[in-house]
Amino acid sequence: MFEEVMRETEARGASLPSDMLEAAKAVGLRKVLMLRYLDLQNAVWPLGFFMKSCSLIRNRMLADPAFLFKVGTEIVIDTCCATFAEVQKRGKDFWAEFELYVADILVGLVVNVALVSLLAPYARIGRASTSNGFLGRMSRVYGALPSSVFEAERPGCRFSVQQRIGTYFL
């Protein structure tokens, strides 16, 4: 299994991040995740850079390749609606109070990215902790939660309402 991962990675002239390499050695790596990562890491800048250096974006893009499209769509819709509302509300004073509009747009940008990121599924790489200490137990509880509030159930993997609520607050 690990040899196959390394062969495919070397054939593409790429490299895997350390957590993916460890997972490939220990429990194996799902082929779809590995191939998706190898494709996305060679994407144009800045996506390729973020895939290599930011696990938050990488894990969400591996689980949902349309993640950045969803974030971008949310930002565009919110910005257009906010601009329309600000122009209507401020009228002739819009340009005089432009810095307030820009501040509102920037806050909206941060909130939109946070909201979409919190609700987006993410790929879990590696295995759950086997530690019996407090952090190990918390890691297992965390590992039993769905990756997002709306993650679909699949054979052998069901989530309770409490787990979904816990995911929302986590």
Side-chain angles (χ1 to χ4, degrees):
M1 188 71 119
F2 179 69
E3 293 78 25
E4 292 176 35
V5 169
M6 293 311 297
R7 263 195 309 272
E8 183 67 30
T9 304
E10 290 169 2
R12 292 186 181 216
S15 62
L16 292 176
S18 60
D19 61 336
M20 291 179 83
L21 279 174
E22 289 175 26
K25 287 178 189 174
V27 294
L29 192 58
R30 288 182 25 209
K31 188 171 185 170
V32 68
L33 294 181
M34 180 191 69
L35 294 177
R36 194 173 289 162
Y37 175 78
L38 292 174
D39 290 340
L40 288 171
Q41 88 165 359
N42 292 323
V44 296
W45 192 90
L47 180 57
F49 172 76
F50 285 128
M51 289 299 293
K52 294 175 189 173
S53 62
C54 182
S55 64
L56 180 128
I57 292 175
R58 180 195 73 202
N59 291 345
R60 280 167 174 74
M61 288 293 294
L62 291 177
D64 181 8
F67 171 70
L68 290 181
F69 172 77
K70 292 173 183 176
V71 170
T73 301
E74 181 68 26
I75 290 169
V76 167
I77 290 170
D78 185 60
T79 302
C80 290
C81 291
T83 301
F84 180 75
E86 291 286 339
V87 168
Q88 292 294 323
K89 180 174 77 174
R90 298 187 192 278
K92 294 178 183 177
D93 294 331
F94 177 78
W95 291 109
E97 299 174 351
F98 186 73
E99 64 278 355
L100 298 173
Y101 161 74
V102 171
D104 286 344
I105 293 298
L106 291 176
V107 168
L109 175 84
V110 170
V111 169
N112 287 326
V113 170
L115 178 67
V116 174
S117 296
L118 287 171
L119 296 175
Y122 63 91
R124 294 184 185 177
I125 298 176
R127 69 170 74 164
S129 172
T130 56
S131 171
N132 290 327
F134 176 74
L135 293 177
R137 288 193 307 271
M138 290 305 295
S139 179
R140 283 192 297 280
V141 167
Y142 173 69
L145 295 175
S147 68
S148 78
V149 174
F150 302 112
E151 181 178 346
E153 293 182 344
R154 54 192 183 281
C157 189
R158 304 247 179 243
F159 302 110
S160 68
V161 172
Q162 291 87 357
Q163 286 174 308
R164 291 186 186 279
I165 291 170
T167 298
Y168 176 78
F169 286 106
L170 182 68

